[in-house]
Amino acid sequence: MKHLRKELRFHTESESEVVNITRSVEAAVFESGVADGFALVYPMHTSSTVYVSDSDSSLTEDLADLLSDLVPESRPYRHNVTDSKENASAHLKAVLTGHAVTLPITNGRLDLGTYQTVYYFELDGRREKEVIVKILGE
Amino acid sequence: MKHLRKELRFHTESESEVVNITRSVEAAVFESGVADGFALVYPMHTSSTVYVSDSDSSLTEDLADLLSDLVPESRPYRHNVTDSKENASAHLKAVLTGHAVTLPITNGRLDLGTYQTVYYFELDGRREKEVIVKILGE
Amino acid sequence: MKHLRKELRFHTESESEVVNITRSVEAAVFESGVADGFALVYPMHTSSTVYVSDSDSSLTEDLADLLSDLVPESRPYRHNVTDSKENASAHLKAVLTGHAVTLPITNGRLDLGTYQTVYYFELDGRREKEVIVKILGE
């Protein structure tokens, strides 16, 4: 059995930003030497989220807009009283989008569909953030 | 360590359709010979989703209705301008429902609760689609 | 390769309740002897959900409120006609919040960010419920 823990680091310029991380995850899979297994792509923060979607970048803007409608920043959240960062909506958007993903590895590569792209969605940026790629297999 | 990659294929007659795939996933677990491990049930498309819920089929209709209210097809999505398939809402529903599931395997079987059912939710059908069951364990 | 299946049991006093289960999952990881791997925290019911979020308990109330707005209990669900428990909204909230989580294990411990907390969210309580912690690794 083989395993690898790879750290990806982010510091976005905007508070909200979507980053295509497919190549970084692929690089970690290659480095692990795992031919068959799983790659868990896991944000170490609860105000960011990782998801898989279509390669079209305009869809990432549609997702950001939808989440802003479903989880408005201006809602009176209790967390924004107890925590000065006032990022309750960021945390809740991360829960609704699943926070982390587990991806299949086959023949030493991410086993994704043609248009599938792995995205890091920063919901509370302008500071240091980390995502762990944890790989397990043989 | 053992592993298996099994492909399930779908071609639904409707644009939106829910299919109970519990038995197909069980069959893959049996074929893998894995007694203890994980089964990742992973759609190779970003306009379909896999989720676990109650066996009552009327609940699948409730979910479809709820998603249509939260992510209306008629919203003016950017993706529907850049992509002629006009399936933005399908992609976004897949993100909100988590896209894929990881299931426990114990004693050579899916380790599910009494009423738990594994569903494939086609959100943009009438064409060939695939789901990977990737199994890892011993 | 090592593996462990640990059962956590719940019987909440309220219909809806959030329980911090981080220590119980940590204890299962320790018991497994796994240094590097994954912990799948998986509810055996479809009317409860497990998620990772910030340690601030007021945020758990914000999440409960948000979900009650997005998936109102009073909506006319088909499931509430076919099933006398009338818990359709509980099932649907579990789908929207992802139902289960897979967590990284590194150096024999849950590999979580500083403020990350693992929550069991009971959506239809006052009865016996179980969560499986299934651990795989070496």
Side-chain angles (χ1 to χ4, degrees), chain A residues 10-36:
Chain A
F10 300 90
H11 194 131
T12 62
E13 284 182 26
S14 319
E15 198 179 299
S16 172
E17 202 167 316
V18 178
V19 185
N20 178 343
I21 60 170
T22 316
R23 285 185 182 192
S24 304
V25 180
E26 274 285 19
V29 171
F30 183 76
E31 187 183 334
S32 74
V34 166
D36 284 279

Side-chain angles (χ1 to χ4, degrees), chain A residues 53-92:
Chain A
S53 193
D54 189 83
S55 58
D56 176 18
S57 63
S58 70
L59 193 64
T60 66
E61 296 175 60
D62 289 331
L63 177 61
D65 284 357
L66 176 72
L67 290 175
S68 293
D69 280 7
L70 295 178
V71 193
E73 210 176 312
S74 61
R75 226 180 123 101
Y77 301 103
R78 291 174 187 84
H79 179 65
N80 290 347
V81 177
T82 58
D83 188 315
S84 60
K85 288 198 297 295
E86 298 197 3
N87 59 359
S89 62
H91 290 295
L92 298 174

Side-chain angles (χ1 to χ4, degrees), chain B residues 1 36 38 53-54 56 58-59 61-63 65-66 69 96 102 104-106 111-113 116 137-138, chain C residues 1 3 5 38 40 42-46 70-71 75 77-79 82 88 91-92 95-96 99 102 134 136:
Chain B
M1 214 178 106
D36 284 279
F38 297 139
S53 194
D54 189 83
D56 175 18
S58 69
L59 192 63
E61 296 175 59
D62 289 329
L63 177 61
D65 284 355
L66 176 72
D69 280 5
L96 285 188
T102 302
I105 299 169
T106 303
D111 197 352
L112 304 182
Q116 288 189 331
E138 74 165 18
Chain C
M1 216 179 106
H3 59 85
R5 179 194 195 267
F38 297 139
L40 171 61
Y42 184 88
M44 296 299 265
H45 307 261
T46 59
L70 295 179
V71 193
R75 227 180 122 103
Y77 301 102
R78 289 175 188 83
H79 180 66
T82 58
H91 290 296
L92 298 174
V95 173
L96 285 189
H99 185 241
T102 303
K134 185 84 190 188
L136 194 73

Side-chain angles (χ1 to χ4, degrees), chain B residues 22-68:
Chain B
T22 316
R23 285 185 182 193
S24 305
V25 180
E26 274 285 18
V29 170
F30 183 77
E31 188 184 333
S32 74
V34 165
D36 284 279
F38 297 139
L40 170 62
V41 191
Y42 183 88
M44 296 300 265
H45 306 261
T46 59
S47 54
S48 1
T49 192
V50 169
Y51 68 99
V52 170
S53 194
D54 189 83
S55 58
D56 175 18
S57 63
S58 69
L59 192 63
T60 66
E61 296 175 59
D62 289 329
L63 177 61
D65 284 355
L66 176 72
L67 289 175
S68 292

Side-chain angles (χ1 to χ4, degrees), chain A residues 32-48:
Chain A
S32 74
V34 166
D36 284 279
F38 297 140
L40 170 62
V41 191
Y42 184 88
M44 296 299 266
H45 307 260
T46 59
S47 55
S48 2

Side-chain angles (χ1 to χ4, degrees), chain C:
Chain C
M1 216 179 106
K2 292 173 179 173
H3 59 85
L4 181 78
R5 179 194 195 267
K6 192 80 188 177
E7 213 168 291
L8 312 180
R9 292 176 179 278
F10 300 90
H11 193 129
T12 61
E13 284 183 26
S14 320
E15 197 180 301
S16 171
E17 201 167 318
V18 178
V19 185
N20 179 342
I21 59 170
T22 315
R23 286 185 182 193
S24 305
V25 181
E26 275 285 20
V29 171
F30 183 76
E31 186 183 334
S32 75
V34 166
D36 284 278
F38 297 139
L40 171 61
V41 191
Y42 184 88
M44 296 299 265
H45 307 261
T46 59
S47 55
S48 3
T49 192
V50 169
Y51 69 99
V52 169
S53 194
D54 190 82
S55 57
D56 176 19
S57 64
S58 70
L59 193 64
T60 66
E61 296 177 59
D62 289 329
L63 178 62
D65 285 356
L66 176 72
L67 289 175
S68 292
D69 280 6
L70 295 179
V71 193
E73 209 176 313
S74 61
R75 227 180 122 103
Y77 301 102
R78 289 175 188 83
H79 180 66
N80 290 347
V81 177
T82 58
D83 189 314
S84 60
K85 287 197 298 294
E86 297 197 4
N87 58 359
S89 62
H91 290 296
L92 298 174
K93 288 172 181 177
V95 173
L96 285 189
T97 51
H99 185 241
V101 298
T102 303
L103 305 172
I105 299 170
T106 304
N107 295 327
R109 299 203 54 175
L110 281 180
D111 196 353
L112 304 181
T114 312
Y115 301 107
Q116 288 189 332
T117 305
V118 188
Y119 292 106
Y120 172 71
F121 193 166
E122 177 58 75
L123 295 158
D124 183 31
R126 294 185 189 132
R127 53 198 183 94
E128 298 299 327
K129 297 280 197 107
E130 292 161 24
V131 168
I132 298 299
V133 184
K134 185 84 190 188
I135 294 170
L136 194 73
E138 74 166 16

